[in-house]
Amino acid sequence: MKTEQNSTWTLDLAASITPQITRILRERIIQNDLKPGDQISESELARGYDVSRQPVREAFIKLADQGLVEIRPQRGTIVTRIGYFAVLDARFLREAIEADIAKILATDPNAAPIADLRQQLTRQVTIGRDDPTAFMQLDETFHRTLAQAAGKAGAWKQIEGLKSQMDRVRYLSLGEIRVDKLIEQHRAVVDRIEAGDIAGANSAIRFHLREVLNDLPQIIQGNQQFFDLPDGDMPPPVNAPIQGGNIA
Protein backbone atom coordinates (compact mmCIF):
# COMPACT_ATOMS: atom_id res chain seq x y z
CA MET A 1 0.00 0.00 0.00
CA LYS A 2 1.49 3.33 -1.01
CA THR A 3 2.13 6.01 1.58
CA GLU A 4 -0.31 8.92 1.64
CA GLN A 5 0.97 12.43 0.89
CA ASN A 6 -2.10 14.70 1.10
CA SER A 7 -1.87 16.96 4.16
CA THR A 8 -5.57 16.47 4.86
CA TRP A 9 -4.89 12.74 5.27
CA THR A 10 -3.13 13.17 8.61
CA LEU A 11 -4.43 12.37 12.08
CA ASP A 12 -5.25 14.64 14.99
CA LEU A 13 -4.25 12.35 17.84
CA ALA A 14 -6.29 14.47 20.27
CA ALA A 15 -9.52 13.52 18.45
CA SER A 16 -11.29 10.20 17.98
CA ILE A 17 -9.13 8.02 15.74
CA THR A 18 -11.57 5.64 14.05
CA PRO A 19 -13.67 8.34 12.30
CA GLN A 20 -10.51 10.02 11.04
CA ILE A 21 -9.03 6.85 9.58
CA THR A 22 -12.40 5.99 8.05
CA ARG A 23 -12.58 9.43 6.42
CA ILE A 24 -9.00 9.32 5.16
CA LEU A 25 -9.32 5.88 3.60
CA ARG A 26 -12.75 6.72 2.16
CA GLU A 27 -11.34 9.86 0.50
CA ARG A 28 -8.31 7.99 -0.84
CA ILE A 29 -10.52 5.31 -2.36
CA ILE A 30 -13.06 7.76 -3.78
CA GLN A 31 -10.31 9.93 -5.27
CA ASN A 32 -8.65 6.80 -6.72
CA ASP A 33 -5.46 7.25 -4.73
CA LEU A 34 -6.23 3.70 -3.62
CA LYS A 35 -7.43 1.73 -6.63
CA PRO A 36 -9.47 -1.47 -7.04
CA GLY A 37 -7.37 -4.45 -6.10
CA ASP A 38 -4.99 -2.49 -3.86
CA GLN A 39 -4.36 -4.21 -0.54
CA ILE A 40 -4.60 -2.15 2.64
CA SER A 41 -2.55 -3.38 5.56
CA GLU A 42 -4.07 -3.04 9.02
CA SER A 43 -0.70 -3.36 10.72
CA GLU A 44 1.03 -0.99 8.30
CA LEU A 45 -1.60 1.71 8.79
CA ALA A 46 -1.51 1.33 12.56
CA ARG A 47 2.26 1.54 12.56
CA GLY A 48 2.32 4.50 10.17
CA TYR A 49 -0.13 6.50 12.28
CA ASP A 50 1.33 5.27 15.57
CA VAL A 51 -2.02 3.95 16.80
CA SER A 52 -3.31 0.57 17.89
CA ARG A 53 -4.79 -1.79 15.31
CA GLN A 54 -8.29 -1.62 16.83
CA PRO A 55 -9.37 1.75 15.32
CA VAL A 56 -7.96 0.67 11.96
CA ARG A 57 -9.93 -2.58 12.14
CA GLU A 58 -13.10 -0.64 13.01
CA ALA A 59 -12.50 1.72 10.05
CA PHE A 60 -12.18 -1.29 7.73
CA ILE A 61 -15.55 -2.59 8.93
CA LYS A 62 -17.23 0.77 8.26
CA LEU A 63 -15.69 0.94 4.78
CA ALA A 64 -16.79 -2.62 4.06
CA ASP A 65 -20.36 -1.58 4.96
CA GLN A 66 -20.09 1.10 2.26
CA GLY A 67 -18.84 -1.46 -0.26
CA LEU A 68 -15.45 0.23 -0.60
CA VAL A 69 -13.31 -2.62 0.72
CA GLU A 70 -13.57 -6.37 1.09
CA ILE A 71 -12.17 -7.86 4.28
CA ARG A 72 -10.68 -11.27 3.52
CA PRO A 73 -9.87 -13.23 6.69
CA GLN A 74 -6.26 -14.33 6.78
CA ARG A 75 -5.66 -12.67 3.40
CA GLY A 76 -5.99 -8.94 4.03
CA THR A 77 -8.29 -6.10 3.05
CA ILE A 78 -8.75 -5.25 -0.63
CA VAL A 79 -10.19 -2.15 -2.30
CA THR A 80 -13.26 -3.25 -4.25
CA ARG A 81 -14.21 -2.46 -7.80
CA ILE A 82 -17.01 0.03 -8.39
CA GLY A 83 -20.28 -1.86 -8.44
CA TYR A 84 -22.33 -0.87 -11.50
CA PHE A 85 -25.67 -1.53 -9.85
CA ALA A 86 -24.47 0.06 -6.61
CA VAL A 87 -23.91 3.30 -8.55
CA LEU A 88 -27.41 3.16 -10.02
CA ASP A 89 -29.02 2.37 -6.66
CA ALA A 90 -27.11 5.17 -4.90
CA ARG A 91 -28.10 7.68 -7.55
CA PHE A 92 -31.74 6.58 -7.35
CA LEU A 93 -31.85 6.93 -3.56
CA ARG A 94 -30.01 10.22 -3.60
CA GLU A 95 -32.43 11.65 -6.16
CA ALA A 96 -35.42 10.62 -4.05
CA ILE A 97 -34.00 12.25 -0.91
CA GLU A 98 -32.72 15.44 -2.53
CA ALA A 99 -35.93 15.95 -4.51
CA ASP A 100 -37.81 16.04 -1.20
CA ILE A 101 -35.20 18.43 0.20
CA ALA A 102 -35.74 20.78 -2.77
CA LYS A 103 -39.50 20.53 -2.25
CA ILE A 104 -39.15 21.51 1.43
CA LEU A 105 -36.98 24.52 0.56
CA ALA A 106 -39.25 25.73 -2.25
CA THR A 107 -42.34 25.40 -0.08
CA ASP A 108 -41.07 28.14 2.23
CA PRO A 109 -38.04 29.93 0.67
CA ASN A 110 -35.61 31.32 3.22
CA ALA A 111 -33.47 34.28 2.19
CA ALA A 112 -30.42 33.43 4.32
CA PRO A 113 -29.56 29.98 2.88
CA ILE A 114 -30.46 31.20 -0.61
CA ALA A 115 -27.92 34.03 -0.22
CA ASP A 116 -25.34 31.49 0.97
CA LEU A 117 -26.04 29.27 -2.05
CA ARG A 118 -25.67 32.27 -4.37
CA GLN A 119 -22.25 33.01 -2.87
CA GLN A 120 -21.30 29.38 -3.38
CA LEU A 121 -22.28 29.64 -7.03
CA THR A 122 -19.94 32.62 -7.38
CA ARG A 123 -17.09 30.58 -5.89
CA GLN A 124 -17.89 27.71 -8.25
CA VAL A 125 -17.62 30.06 -11.23
CA THR A 126 -14.31 31.42 -9.92
CA ILE A 127 -12.84 27.93 -9.55
CA GLY A 128 -14.23 26.88 -12.92
CA ARG A 129 -12.25 24.24 -14.77
CA ASP A 130 -8.93 25.33 -13.23
CA ASP A 131 -9.23 22.97 -10.27
CA PRO A 132 -11.71 20.10 -10.80
CA THR A 133 -10.93 18.58 -7.40
CA ALA A 134 -11.72 21.86 -5.64
CA PHE A 135 -14.91 22.13 -7.68
CA MET A 136 -15.95 18.67 -6.52
CA GLN A 137 -15.54 19.83 -2.93
CA LEU A 138 -17.63 22.93 -3.64
CA ASP A 139 -20.28 20.72 -5.23
CA GLU A 140 -20.35 18.60 -2.08
CA THR A 141 -20.75 21.74 0.05
CA PHE A 142 -23.60 22.96 -2.17
CA HIS A 143 -25.64 19.79 -1.73
CA ARG A 144 -24.87 19.59 1.99
CA THR A 145 -26.07 23.19 2.38
CA LEU A 146 -29.38 22.31 0.71
CA ALA A 147 -29.89 19.47 3.19
CA GLN A 148 -28.93 21.58 6.20
CA ALA A 149 -31.19 24.44 5.10
CA ALA A 150 -34.10 22.00 4.92
CA GLY A 151 -33.33 20.71 8.42
CA LYS A 152 -32.20 17.39 6.97
CA ALA A 153 -28.54 17.25 8.04
CA GLY A 154 -29.13 13.74 9.36
CA ALA A 155 -30.46 12.65 5.97
CA TRP A 156 -27.33 14.07 4.35
CA LYS A 157 -25.15 11.88 6.58
CA GLN A 158 -27.09 8.89 5.28
CA ILE A 159 -26.56 10.07 1.70
CA GLU A 160 -22.81 10.41 2.28
CA GLY A 161 -22.59 6.73 3.12
CA LEU A 162 -24.79 5.71 0.19
CA LYS A 163 -23.08 7.72 -2.52
CA SER A 164 -19.50 6.49 -2.09
CA GLN A 165 -19.59 4.48 -5.31
CA MET A 166 -21.19 7.41 -7.15
CA ASP A 167 -18.40 9.68 -5.97
CA ARG A 168 -15.76 7.24 -7.24
CA VAL A 169 -17.32 7.48 -10.69
CA ARG A 170 -17.31 11.27 -10.55
CA TYR A 171 -13.61 11.40 -9.68
CA LEU A 172 -12.85 9.10 -12.60
CA SER A 173 -14.44 11.72 -14.85
CA LEU A 174 -12.53 14.73 -13.47
CA GLY A 175 -10.70 15.34 -16.74
CA GLU A 176 -14.00 15.47 -18.62
CA ILE A 177 -16.11 17.24 -16.01
CA ARG A 178 -18.37 19.89 -17.59
CA VAL A 179 -18.18 22.51 -14.87
CA ASP A 180 -20.18 25.20 -16.65
CA LYS A 181 -23.09 22.82 -17.20
CA LEU A 182 -23.08 21.70 -13.57
CA ILE A 183 -22.97 25.28 -12.30
CA GLU A 184 -25.96 26.19 -14.48
CA GLN A 185 -27.82 23.19 -13.10
CA HIS A 186 -27.01 24.33 -9.55
CA ARG A 187 -28.22 27.82 -10.44
CA ALA A 188 -31.48 26.44 -11.80
CA VAL A 189 -32.10 24.60 -8.51
CA VAL A 190 -31.53 27.78 -6.48
CA ASP A 191 -33.65 29.89 -8.86
CA ARG A 192 -36.61 27.52 -8.57
CA ILE A 193 -36.31 27.33 -4.79
CA GLU A 194 -36.14 31.12 -4.47
CA ALA A 195 -39.19 31.45 -6.72
CA GLY A 196 -41.14 29.05 -4.54
CA ASP A 197 -41.59 26.81 -7.58
CA ILE A 198 -41.98 23.38 -5.95
CA ALA A 199 -42.46 21.46 -9.20
CA GLY A 200 -39.62 23.35 -10.88
CA ALA A 201 -37.21 22.77 -7.99
CA ASN A 202 -38.10 19.08 -7.99
CA SER A 203 -37.47 18.81 -11.73
CA ALA A 204 -34.22 20.82 -11.58
CA ILE A 205 -32.60 18.72 -8.85
CA ARG A 206 -33.67 15.47 -10.53
CA PHE A 207 -32.25 16.63 -13.86
CA HIS A 208 -28.98 17.57 -12.16
CA LEU A 209 -28.58 14.29 -10.31
CA ARG A 210 -29.21 12.31 -13.48
CA GLU A 211 -26.21 13.90 -15.18
CA VAL A 212 -24.05 10.99 -14.06
CA LEU A 213 -26.26 8.65 -16.09
CA ASN A 214 -25.37 10.53 -19.27
CA ASP A 215 -21.65 10.12 -18.63
CA LEU A 216 -21.57 6.64 -17.07
CA PRO A 217 -21.25 4.53 -20.26
CA GLN A 218 -18.32 6.63 -21.49
CA ILE A 219 -16.62 6.56 -18.07
CA ILE A 220 -16.96 2.78 -17.91
CA GLN A 221 -15.63 2.40 -21.46
CA GLY A 222 -12.46 4.26 -20.52
CA ASN A 223 -11.99 2.63 -17.10
CA GLN A 224 -13.37 -0.90 -17.32
CA GLN A 225 -10.74 -2.20 -14.90
CA PHE A 226 -12.33 -0.07 -12.14
CA PHE A 227 -15.80 -1.58 -12.49
CA ASP A 228 -17.62 -4.71 -11.46
CA LEU A 229 -19.91 -5.06 -14.49
CA PRO A 230 -22.93 -7.31 -14.95
CA ASP A 231 -21.68 -10.58 -16.45
CA GLY A 232 -18.30 -8.91 -16.90
CA ASP A 233 -19.49 -6.94 -19.94
CA MET A 234 -20.59 -3.42 -20.79
CA PRO A 235 -24.14 -2.87 -19.52
CA PRO A 236 -26.95 -1.56 -21.67
CA PRO A 237 -27.58 2.24 -21.71
CA VAL A 238 -28.90 3.54 -18.39
CA ASN A 239 -30.25 6.91 -19.47
CA ALA A 240 -33.80 7.47 -18.26
CA PRO A 241 -36.29 10.22 -19.12
CA ILE A 242 -36.82 12.98 -16.60
CA GLN A 243 -40.09 12.60 -14.77
CA GLY A 244 -40.96 16.26 -15.25
CA GLY A 245 -41.84 18.32 -12.23
CA ASN A 246 -44.80 16.25 -11.20
CA ILE A 247 -45.15 15.64 -7.48
CA ALA A 248 -47.41 12.99 -6.06
Side-chain angles (χ1 to χ4, degrees):
M1 183 184 72
K2 64 179 162 180
T3 304
E4 54 84 12
Q5 300 294 330
N6 191 318
S7 62
T8 66
W9 295 339
T10 57
L11 289 185
D12 176 2
L13 296 179
S16 181
I17 300 301
T18 297
Q20 293 184 79
I21 293 178
T22 304
R23 175 189 61 80
I24 290 168
L25 291 177
R26 181 181 183 276
E27 289 180 1
R28 292 182 65 187
I29 293 169
I30 285 173
Q31 295 178 27
N32 302 307
D33 180 65
L34 291 171
K35 296 178 172 57
D38 284 354
Q39 184 165 342
I40 312 176
S41 168
E42 181 182 300
S43 59
E44 184 180 330
L45 273 172
R47 185 166 54 252
Y49 282 120
D50 194 23
V51 297
S52 72
R53 294 175 64 165
Q54 182 62 29
V56 178
R57 187 175 303 118
E58 291 172 355
F60 283 0
I61 292 170
K62 292 179 183 296
L63 293 168
D65 287 342
Q66 295 182 23
L68 295 176
V69 302
E70 179 185 352
I71 301 172
R72 300 176 176 177
Q74 312 304 321
R75 289 188 294 167
T77 298
I78 306 295
V79 177
T80 62
R81 291 187 178 187
I82 301 170
Y84 174 75
F85 288 118
V87 172
L88 298 189
D89 288 345
R91 191 218 57 82
F92 176 82
L93 291 168
R94 182 175 179 184
E95 179 182 322
I97 293 170
E98 293 205 52
D100 271 357
I101 285 171
K103 175 182 177 181
I104 291 169
L105 294 174
T107 298
D108 184 18
N110 186 315
I114 289 171
D116 183 9
L117 290 165
R118 295 284 185 201
Q119 291 175 352
Q120 290 184 35
L121 289 171
T122 300
R123 290 196 293 273
Q124 291 174 19
V125 171
T126 301
I127 291 293
R129 297 184 63 89
D130 295 337
D131 191 342
T133 300
F135 177 80
M136 290 283 285
Q137 294 166 350
L138 291 176
D139 177 78
E140 185 87 357
T141 299
F142 179 86
H143 287 274
R144 184 188 304 112
T145 301
L146 290 173
Q148 291 172 340
K152 299 299 179 184
W156 178 256
K157 287 186 178 296
Q158 296 298 318
I159 292 174
E160 283 185 310
L162 290 171
K163 69 187 186 69
S164 296
Q165 302 290 21
M166 236 182 116
D167 288 343
R168 294 174 78 183
V169 170
R170 296 177 71 212
Y171 270 96
L172 280 176
S173 66
L174 274 185
E176 306 298 327
I177 193 168
R178 291 170 288 184
V179 171
D180 292 345
K181 177 186 284 190
L182 296 179
I183 293 172
E184 284 310 305
Q185 291 172 3
H186 286 169
R187 195 182 311 280
V189 172
V190 178
D191 287 347
R192 294 303 90 212
I193 289 172
E194 186 172 32
D197 180 356
I198 297 173
N202 175 73
S203 181
I205 195 70
R206 288 182 184 274
F207 184 86
H208 173 57
L209 292 173
R210 291 184 181 201
E211 187 68 32
V212 71
L213 295 181
N214 297 324
D215 300 333
L216 187 54
Q218 181 179 348
I219 295 168
I220 292 174
Q221 186 67 54
N223 302 275
Q224 289 199 40
Q225 73 277 17
F226 280 81
F227 288 85
D228 180 13
L229 300 174
D231 300 321
D233 200 359
M234 280 288 291
V238 295
N239 294 29
I242 295 299
Q243 299 172 352
N246 298 328
I247 299 174

